[in-house]
Amino acid sequence: MSNGPVLAIENLRTYFFSRSKQAFIRSVDGVTLHIEKGKTLGIVGESGSGKSVTALSTMGLISAEPGVIIGKIGLKTETVQKNLLRDLKDHVKINMSTGRIMSVYKDSLGWQKKINRLMKGIRGKEIAMIFQNPKLSMNPFSSIGKQIAESILLNTSISNRNEAKDKAIYWLEQVKMDSPRLRYYNNPYGLSGGMCQRAMIAMALSSEPSLLIADEPTTGLDATIQSKIVDLLAHLKTSFGVTTMLISHDIDVIKSLSDNVAVMYGGTVLEHGPARTILTSDYKYKHPYTAALLSSIPSQEHIREKKKLQVIEGDVLDTINIPDGCRFFERCNKVTDKIKEQCEHTEPDLREVFPGHKVRCFRFFRT
Amino acid sequence: MAALLLLGVSFVVFIILFLSPGNPFNALLKEQAATGAVSDAAKRGLSVPSSWYTQYLSWLGNILKGDFGNSIQTGLPVLSEVIRVSINTVYLTAGSMIMTLVLAVPIAVLSARRGLTPTNWFFTIFTYVVSAIPVFWFGYIVIYISIHQFGVFPLASSSSSQGWSWFHFMLPVIVLGLGNGTISEVVRYLREEMSRVFAEEYILTARAKGASIWKHSFKEGFLLPITEIIASKIPFLLGGAVVVEQVFSWPGMGRMAWQAAQYRDYPLIMGITVVAAIIVRMGSLMQRVVQIMVNPRASRE
Ligand SMILES: Nc1ncnc2c1ncn2[C@@H]1O[C@H](COP(=O)(O)OP(=O)(O)OP(=O)(O)O)[C@@H](O)[C@H]1O
Ligand SMILES: [Mg+2]
């Protein structure tokens, strides 16, 4: 395998047009991140920071009109190497002013067709996805086994129905579903949320994807089930080593599964680096937002030691009126007089401050 | 359930007939000075029960024995007559239901998938206009055009000697299919259901695994709403059939009902009522069967 990341997103921007406000919601506004082969990248960030939109953009599943996606999503696997947004720009006319999009004309039909062409053989086959709400994410009118077998028939070299069925049962075993042979015939209605999520995971893995995107795979589940699913994901990670993009609010989930972490805020990545440094509270190069996030989320440590939780002051960023300067400026408690001017008026770039560790903060560099 | 429904329907129709002016004897005896005395004598001669409830009960009792009585006008047994013509009505209504769906389904599917583009918007408006056309008016226009432009007299009865021709069959079907007033509703309902299902999370999953969203949305987005529409529109189609059959002299149940009403042919009206109610009932039965078949709560082994 050639080197280089499996997924490299560069300056991804996904905007939605809000009719009521006659303005663009800049849900994802300049995301840059990459995932190395066999590694898991955890994406954390408050609700609304654009995590799901990043994932869906990667899958070419943004269908809202007239949404716009620009930037570069480079996918590099054993069989495919391409920019998943290639030539999409041909279908949109964008008026830019001072680096921001002012207005957009979009040929939606052509755009959608192009996306479908670009994603053919990618969706399901190269990139598989797991969603937050397992019970709603499986088709209620079909058995889970059939749905897994369908994915196998579509996305692997297996083309025989019986073989696909055996393979589906194999994957149900791999996700530790009890009595997989019987469960094969169950509709989602007959299963608990946890079992549905196992089936979802089995379905995603069954196509043997080069990249797995898991968007909040544990959030919709009960606490006890959550930890079981995390254990399962950890086990699968060691046995299959699938390259994974793992999205979660839950720092503990991220901590136990990720090699690298990207911290998102207001549609952009504020920090990107190894999990073990980013997630330890006393690491030197740390974005103030990450620090605040770590202390605002009850980790096992907090609960054990009854530490007082810190709340991040202020509101989540308004993604319509993004400020000129650092997106976190309003809420930042680490601004010093020396850099204040700069923080308020210029947006810092995501810069490497230590090998493999990038931060978007003027505390660590000057423009 | 079904028996109760039939009982209720027949009872209501019976009461309406009883309360409406005119009676079969006057209609029957209209040539011979229909005075009260003659009519009463006829009643006595035919041993008709005197009060309305004894009349109804005796009718009901006979029905349970499978005897629907004889037509007052023609003297033929009601049941076999109604069944004979009901086949024609089933052809007409089924044909026009298919006609309605052939028009409505593509419009609904396209606008559910692509949104209200100018083309879809135009077609949707078109269905609203079509639905507003009164069916009898539409029927007469079609007959007028057919006579004056093509020189063909498009009445079903005129063709009975040479058997059915496609032309005679299709015209009433098209008229009822377009003019039954349900197209816009079918489009709207199907579009809403499909759009709702397309937005379901499991459809996103289907797209994410590269599967066909049509396949995955078929049961909830198409099969269920379509059977529901068909079941709920059967009464409207039967109502429209009365008019269309009359306009085109189509030898069906609707035309028979119309004539029976004019002759105050009570046994025939009651017989048609029961058969029509059974047809409507079969529509909802079919819907139930489909619902049970695709029920997500039932795991099939
Ligand atoms: N189809 C859409 N149309 C308009 N706005 C959208 C659409 N999808 C997402 N958004 C907006 O984009 C922003 C980012 O949403 P996103 O779902 O990516 O957040 P998230 O980080 O995944 O949050 P959460 O943790 O709650 O899942 C939100 O403000 C959301 O309202
Ligand atoms: Mg999300």
Side-chain angles (χ1 to χ4, degrees):
Chain A
M1 166 86 188
S2 52
N3 46 11
V6 172
L7 183 76
I9 299 180
E10 276 168 44
N11 243 321
L12 175 71
R13 291 173 204 272
T14 305
Y15 293 4
F16 299 100
F17 191 73
S18 157
R19 277 181 207 287
S20 56
K21 297 191 178 112
Q22 285 295 310
F24 278 100
I25 304 166
R26 298 162 157 83
S27 301
V28 169
D29 194 29
V31 162
T32 299
L33 55 82
H34 58 89
I35 310 176
E36 304 294 336
K37 187 173 178 0
K39 300 283 192 234
T40 297
L41 174 75
I43 302 185
V44 282
E46 281 167 300
S47 192
S49 55
K51 306 183 295 292
S52 298
V53 173
T54 303
L56 291 173
S57 301
T58 309
M59 288 295 273
L61 288 177
I62 297 283
S63 50
E65 298 295 342
V68 183
I69 307 179
I70 51 174
K72 186 163 174 254
I73 298 178
L75 182 73
K76 191 175 186 182
T77 71
E78 271 150 37
T79 49
V80 185
Q81 177 169 3
K82 72 170 161 188
N83 173 10
L84 301 182
L85 299 180
R86 193 184 57 209
D87 299 338
L88 263 185
K89 277 212 289 290
D90 298 356
H91 299 274
V92 268
K93 271 206 197 76
I94 299 173
N95 295 328
M96 299 267 277
S97 149
T98 61
R100 297 249 158 105
I101 292 176
M102 301 315 288
S103 72
V104 162
Y105 168 77
K106 181 172 160 202
D107 155 29
S108 298
L109 207 62
W111 193 79
Q112 193 60 49
K113 275 192 185 142
K114 176 70 69 65
I115 282 223
N116 288 340
R117 202 163 343 122
L118 281 168
M119 295 308 293
K120 202 169 161 52
I122 305 278
R123 261 187 222 140
K125 205 181 210 112
E126 294 293 337
I127 314 178
M129 189 157 176
I130 302 169
F131 296 92
Q132 173 169 347
N133 199 329
K135 285 208 83 157
L136 297 178
S137 299
M138 300 288 286
N139 188 334
F141 296 91
S142 172
S143 81
I144 56 161
K146 273 208 198 117
Q147 294 182 58
I148 298 171
E150 183 194 19
S151 181
I152 291 169
L153 288 170
L154 283 170
N155 299 314
T156 69
S157 54
I158 294 174
S159 58
N160 173 300
R161 285 181 180 280
N162 288 330
E163 250 178 83
K165 183 180 167 179
D166 291 342
K167 196 75 183 182
I169 291 169
Y170 163 81
W171 283 109
L172 285 174
E173 277 162 10
Q174 293 307 305
V175 297
K176 307 219 160 69
M177 188 76 102
D178 62 297
S179 45
R181 254 161 222 291
L182 292 176
R183 292 291 179 214
Y184 182 93
Y185 298 100
N186 277 143
N187 280 13
Y189 184 83
L191 301 178
S192 68
M195 285 203 275
C196 269
Q197 194 60 300
R198 280 171 202 270
M200 268 303 278
I201 294 170
M203 186 158 83
L205 293 176
S206 73
S207 59
E208 297 172 31
S210 307
L211 174 68
L212 176 69
I213 300 180
D215 189 357
E216 313 266 6
T218 59
T219 310
L221 306 168
D222 297 343
T224 47
I225 315 276
Q226 272 188 19
S227 65
K228 283 196 183 128
I229 295 289
V230 170
D231 291 347
L232 172 69
L233 287 172
H235 165 78
L236 293 172
K237 189 184 164 189
T238 48
S239 34
F240 298 102
V242 187
T243 315
T244 307
M245 178 195 287
L246 173 73
I247 297 172
S248 184
H249 287 99
D250 191 332
I251 297 274
D252 283 322
V253 172
I254 296 283
K255 207 177 227 167
S256 42
L257 295 171
S258 322
D259 303 294
N260 293 299
V261 170
V263 181
M264 281 191 66
Y265 182 81
T268 192
V269 174
L270 293 186
E271 188 166 9
H272 190 306
R276 87 196 108 70
T277 51
I278 289 190
L279 298 179
T280 32
S281 30
D282 45 11
Y283 185 65
K284 175 169 146 218
Y285 303 107
K286 184 174 299 299
H287 196 284
Y289 174 65
T290 313
L293 199 63
L294 284 177
S295 49
S296 73
I297 289 165
S299 64
Q300 300 297 338
E301 226 175 302
H302 276 98
I303 294 163
R304 222 178 307 119
E305 294 167 21
K306 296 205 171 66
K307 274 201 206 163
K308 194 170 178 300
L309 282 179
Q310 214 181 314
V311 177
I312 310 181
E313 298 286 335
D315 294 325
V316 181
L317 192 80
D318 170 4
T319 46
I320 291 178
N321 305 304
I322 291 179
D324 290 339
C326 175
R327 284 162 209 239
F328 191 58
F329 175 73
E330 290 280 319
R331 299 166 76 185
C332 188
N333 58 7
K334 298 236 167 64
V335 193
T336 58
D337 289 340
K338 218 165 68 182
I339 57 173
K340 183 161 187 272
E341 188 70 8
Q342 217 174 357
C343 293
E344 195 173 352
H345 298 293
T346 25
E347 178 164 32
D349 34 272
L350 186 63
R351 197 179 286 187
E352 195 156 58
V353 291
F354 188 79
H357 193 132
K358 293 191 259 181
V359 183
R360 203 188 269 279
C361 181
F362 286 126
R363 290 172 66 226
F364 308 113
F365 55 81
R366 292 304 182 84
T367 34
Chain B
M1 250 324 276
L4 258 173
L5 180 91
L6 292 179
L7 193 70
V9 168
S10 68
F11 185 73
V12 168
V13 171
F14 185 87
I15 294 294
I16 292 172
L17 290 178
F18 191 83
L19 295 177
S20 58
N23 69 56
F25 302 100
N26 293 353
L28 202 59
L29 304 170
K30 62 172 176 269
E31 245 84 277
Q32 308 125 31
T35 61
V38 178
S39 155
D40 282 348
K43 268 190 197 176
R44 244 175 290 116
L46 293 166
S47 62
V48 174
S50 53
S51 69
W52 66 270
Y53 58 88
T54 40
Q55 279 182 20
Y56 180 69
L57 287 177
S58 89
W59 177 82
L60 197 62
N62 287 334
I63 290 284
L64 295 178
K65 283 180 275 170
D67 176 13
F68 281 69
N70 292 339
S71 159
I72 291 177
Q73 194 197 348
T74 64
L76 295 168
V78 164
L79 188 61
S80 61
E81 280 298 285
V82 174
I83 287 178
R84 185 174 60 80
V85 296
S86 72
I87 304 292
N88 291 334
T89 298
V90 168
Y91 285 151
L92 177 65
T93 47
S96 30
M97 178 54 94
I98 290 170
M99 177 80 209
T100 303
L101 294 180
V102 160
L103 261 172
V105 168
I107 299 175
V109 168
L110 269 177
S111 46
R113 191 71 196 102
R114 297 235 188 279
L116 280 178
T117 61
T119 326
N120 293 334
W121 190 81
F122 170 80
F123 281 127
T124 307
I125 296 292
F126 168 75
T127 62
Y128 277 93
V129 172
V130 164
S131 297
I133 297 174
V135 68
F136 69 89
W137 181 82
F138 189 37
Y140 284 125
I141 294 287
V142 166
I143 290 177
Y144 180 87
I145 292 175
S146 138
I147 292 172
H148 287 264
Q149 297 292 311
F150 305 105
V152 187
F153 198 62
L155 299 190
S157 55
S158 70
S159 72
S160 53
S161 50
Q162 314 111 24
W164 294 89
S165 78
W166 272 106
F167 183 70
H168 292 106
F169 180 73
M170 283 313 289
L171 272 192
V173 164
I174 291 172
V175 167
L176 183 56
L178 288 175
N180 60 40
T182 64
I183 288 191
S184 61
E185 221 178 308
V186 173
V187 167
R188 190 180 50 79
Y189 184 62
L190 192 59
R191 182 183 58 219
E192 273 169 19
E193 283 299 285
M194 289 200 104
S195 312
R196 182 181 65 74
V197 173
F198 280 147
E200 292 281 345
E201 288 178 44
Y202 70 85
I203 299 300
L204 188 65
T205 308
R207 292 174 71 197
K209 72 177 183 182
S212 151
I213 62 166
W214 301 106
K215 180 183 164 191
H216 281 266
S217 58
F218 177 73
K219 281 184 185 168
E220 193 183 357
F222 189 80
L223 191 57
L224 288 180
I226 274 287
T227 47
E228 195 174 328
I229 288 167
I230 291 176
S232 65
K233 292 308 173 201
I234 287 176
F236 290 86
L237 282 169
L238 288 177
V242 173
V243 177
V244 171
E245 288 181 2
Q246 191 60 26
V247 169
F248 286 90
S249 299
W250 182 279
M253 227 164 52
R255 182 155 165 269
M256 182 179 266
W258 180 286
Q259 286 167 351
Q262 278 179 345
Y263 282 95
R264 301 290 184 273
D265 197 339
Y266 289 1
L268 194 53
I269 295 180
M270 293 301 286
I272 291 171
T273 303
V274 170
V275 171
I278 288 174
I279 292 177
V280 170
R281 184 64 208 161
M282 278 184 343
S284 17
L285 206 67
M286 167 210 69
Q287 187 199 353
R288 281 298 297 157
V289 168
V290 171
Q291 266 178 358
I292 290 167
M293 261 164 45
V294 302
N295 184 2
R297 301 181 178 204
S299 274
R300 284 169 298 276
E301 305 288 305

